[in-house]
Amino acid sequence: MSNTNSTEDLFRVLKRELCHSFSSGSSTFIFTPEMPVARDILPQGQCINAARYCSTLDRLKEAIRRKRPGLLRRGAVLQHDNATPHSANLTQQWLQRYSWEILPHPAHSPDLAPSDFHLFGPLKRHLGGMAFETEDDLISELRNWFNNLDVDFFRVGINSLLSRWQKCIDLHGDYIEK
């Protein structure tokens, strides 16, 4: 596993295809510029831990192997925050074993996470006003929403990282959107 250290390394990585991961307590979604490739939604009351996150990464690796075989040969780049499941030794060992490169994600930087600046707004608008009788109904609606997104949706979000990182650098690390 390697981490990018310089601005040049950062932009080199951003120009390659990126897998973006976000977890929130009981769910993990991982997507590439083309599509969501791994989803892990736990039953109510359970939380993501390092073992579960590594299992999700295993499924991601297999999904990429099936759907985008050349991506793994070029080297996968993963962006995730420093949440405990992402930074745990077990996860770091998994990433090192498969030589996945990690795109840095500064703490408390929603303006540099595609899930925060590109995904959650449209998802929130879509779900606004809906009520679900069961957790399965909600999960079904989430899957339906993801499956019906425009083919360019994820590409636009991930590709905008390059300009967002540049803005962050130009603002000396300050937030892009206040």
Side-chain angles (χ1 to χ4, degrees), residues 19-39:
C19 298
H20 175 74
S21 164
F22 67 92
S23 298
S24 64
S26 62
S27 62
T28 298
F29 290 86
I30 301 175
F31 56 88
T32 68
E34 278 73 35
M35 69 194 97
V37 291
R39 292 178 272 219

Side-chain angles (χ1 to χ4, degrees), residues 111 164 167-178:
D111 45 356
R164 294 179 80 82
K167 286 179 187 174
C168 185
I169 290 166
D170 294 345
L171 294 170
H172 308 287
D174 203 0
Y175 285 109
I176 293 171
E177 299 171 3
K178 289 189 173 187

Side-chain angles (χ1 to χ4, degrees), residues 122-141:
L123 178 58
K124 185 177 178 180
R125 283 189 295 278
H126 174 76
L127 295 175
M130 292 185 180
F132 302 97
E133 291 188 23
T134 67
E135 186 175 331
D136 286 340
D137 291 343
L138 170 60
I139 291 170
S140 177
E141 184 58 35

Side-chain angles (χ1 to χ4, degrees), residues 20 79 105 109-119 157 161 164:
H20 175 74
Q79 179 193 32
H105 183 83
S109 298
D111 45 356
L112 297 177
S115 53
D116 288 329
F117 68 75
H118 185 71
L119 177 68
L161 268 176
R164 294 179 80 82

